[in-house]
Amino acid sequence: MFDFRYRLVQFQIQRKLNILKRTLRYIGSNVNIKPDLNVRNPSFISIGDDVAIDDGAKLFVWDSYKRANQCFQPSLTIESGTHISRNLTIQCAGTLLIGKNALIASNVFITDFNHGCNPSQDCYINQPLLVKNVTISDNVWIGQNAIILPGVNI
């Protein structure tokens, strides 16, 4: 029974990798992902060599925000040697870079945008998104439950 489950998981991982190879902007060699990786707009995502992404990761890249009639040219890059633990959520509408050999612990949230926050204007959800690039440099460790907001450079 264990052998069957192991083979099934390996099949699901290979199937997911094959789909990503056809749809991502770039995917390097020796990439290890779990089959439940959730991706939005993969053509704006690049993943380098020797990257590992664990269970429950979400890579959401937005090229538009219809409520405010905005269009974006997003770029999400995860460079070589980066290891990402469980339940990472990334929201990207600008440029979000994770450098080489970064280590990201469980339950981390990273975003490069926020809703407008002018109380004298329309309700918040209809205000334009405010985008500020995020850079996580090489060899950085992001601890568990961290939240990285727009404009942050580490």
Side-chain angles (χ1 to χ4, degrees), residues 18-111:
N18 289 337
I19 292 168
L20 291 174
K21 285 178 182 176
R22 290 192 310 268
T23 58
L24 290 178
R25 179 186 302 157
Y26 174 80
I27 186 166
S29 62
N30 198 32
V31 173
N32 183 3
I33 57 143
K34 298 299 181 184
D36 65 345
L37 174 66
N38 193 342
V39 176
R40 179 184 170 92
N41 286 323
S43 64
F44 297 105
I45 300 172
S46 298
I47 299 176
D49 299 333
D50 303 309
V51 170
I53 302 175
D54 213 341
D55 296 315
K58 299 169 207 67
L59 307 178
F60 295 149
V61 179
W62 304 93
D63 61 349
S64 65
Y65 184 57
K66 292 182 177 45
R67 288 183 180 264
N69 294 318
Q70 287 178 282
C71 291
F72 306 107
Q73 294 296 321
S75 175
L76 169 58
T77 302
I78 302 171
E79 292 190 341
S80 297
T82 292
H83 290 258
I84 296 169
S85 195
R86 293 190 164 108
N87 301 321
L88 168 74
T89 299
I90 291 179
Q91 297 267 4
C92 173
T95 300
L96 199 151
L97 170 67
I98 300 173
K100 294 176 184 164
N101 302 310
L103 179 61
I104 300 177
S106 299
N107 306 316
V108 170
F109 178 79
I110 304 170
T111 185

Side-chain angles (χ1 to χ4, degrees), residues 121-141:
Q121 289 184 355
D122 199 4
C123 63
Y124 296 119
I125 198 165
N126 293 329
Q127 292 182 31
L129 298 181
L130 306 173
V131 179
K132 293 183 180 178
N133 297 338
V134 170
T135 301
I136 299 170
S137 299
D138 296 349
N139 304 307
V140 169
W141 172 45

